[in-house]
Amino acid sequence: MAARRISKSVVDWAAFAERVPPNQREAFRAFKARSETFVAKVHRYPENLPQIDFAFYSSRVSNPAMVAEFEKAYKTLSIPYPKDPSNMKAEIDKQEKEAAEVTKQHLAEAQKIISDAKNLLNKVKSLPPLEELTYEMQIDYFPTVARNPAVRPTLWPHTKSYQPENDPHTIN
């Protein structure tokens, strides 16, 4: 009876619960409880207005014209299903499509980052163990960071902060 009124908006709570992050479980439970309370209130009332025996009332009331007027008003009473005057549903659907596109872009970027990381991991796995890495191998594998006195001479202790080009007190 009343189920037909809101059957269009039935929520799949199990699928919804899978998508809720752990830190928002309590808010989700509260939302679900409020929704179920609302649905229970809707189901408490009949789908159609109850039938009133106006003939009984017209025989009991001293002014039958007043009963006829009430009957006419009662039969013309129509409570429409709520409308969406500001077209919020269409706007929400549009935002959902935009979010889906953004999600696809983020997913593509994440897949690219994952593939780059896997390539880097494969390169790292192809290196010899650190115990077997010689100074010459280090220069071959890591030319930009390896100490190479012929190309870039450094001063002891060979750290970046102790090199002349990084001295904060140098006057240019």
Side-chain angles (χ1 to χ4, degrees), residues 112-162:
K112 184 181 180 305
I113 291 170
I114 289 170
S115 67
D116 291 346
K118 285 182 180 178
N119 290 339
L120 180 63
L121 185 61
N122 290 336
K123 288 179 183 177
V124 169
K125 285 181 179 178
S126 71
L127 291 175
L130 288 176
E131 297 83 25
E132 298 174 10
L133 196 64
T134 64
Y135 181 69
E136 291 79 16
M137 292 169 82
Q138 183 183 11
I139 292 173
D140 288 339
Y141 281 114
F142 308 105
T144 58
V145 293
R147 235 176 354 111
N148 189 350
V151 178
R152 249 186 2 233
T154 58
L155 302 174
W156 189 88
H158 306 291
T159 58
K160 192 173 186 178
S161 61
Y162 283 99

Side-chain angles (χ1 to χ4, degrees), residues 14 21-25 34 39 80 90 95 97 104 113 124 133 136 160 165 171:
N23 63 338
Q24 295 179 358
R25 296 270 185 215
R34 289 188 71 184
V39 169
Q95 288 177 357
K97 288 177 184 174
K104 286 180 184 176
I113 291 170
V124 169
L133 196 64
E136 291 79 16
K160 192 173 186 178
E165 64 266 11
I171 299 173

Side-chain angles (χ1 to χ4, degrees), residues 46-171:
E47 185 176 354
N48 298 321
L49 292 173
Q51 295 299 319
I52 299 175
D53 185 11
F54 285 103
F56 172 77
Y57 287 111
S58 63
S59 66
R60 300 282 182 177
V61 176
S62 61
N63 188 357
M66 183 175 71
V67 174
E69 184 179 324
F70 282 147
E71 182 178 9
K72 179 182 172 192
Y74 187 76
K75 288 185 178 178
T76 60
L77 177 66
S78 173
I79 301 172
Y81 193 78
K83 302 289 184 218
D84 187 8
S86 59
N87 206 8
M88 288 293 288
K89 173 122 175 62
E91 186 175 329
I92 290 171
D93 290 341
K94 185 178 110 184
Q95 288 177 357
E96 182 181 10
K97 288 177 184 174
E98 291 172 359
E101 290 174 10
V102 169
T103 303
K104 286 180 184 176
Q105 291 173 353
H106 285 301
L107 189 59
E109 290 172 8
Q111 291 298 334
K112 184 181 180 305
I113 291 170
I114 289 170
S115 67
D116 291 346
K118 285 182 180 178
N119 290 339
L120 180 63
L121 185 61
N122 290 336
K123 288 179 183 177
V124 169
K125 285 181 179 178
S126 71
L127 291 175
L130 288 176
E131 297 83 25
E132 298 174 10
L133 196 64
T134 64
Y135 181 69
E136 291 79 16
M137 292 169 82
Q138 183 183 11
I139 292 173
D140 288 339
Y141 281 114
F142 308 105
T144 58
V145 293
R147 235 176 354 111
N148 189 350
V151 178
R152 249 186 2 233
T154 58
L155 302 174
W156 189 88
H158 306 291
T159 58
K160 192 173 186 178
S161 61
Y162 283 99
Q163 302 312 309
E165 64 266 11
N166 293 322
D167 186 12
H169 303 293
T170 304
I171 299 173

Side-chain angles (χ1 to χ4, degrees), residues 30-43:
F31 171 70
K32 182 179 176 189
R34 289 188 71 184
S35 176
E36 289 173 350
T37 303
F38 172 72
V39 169
K41 284 181 182 179
V42 169
H43 284 287

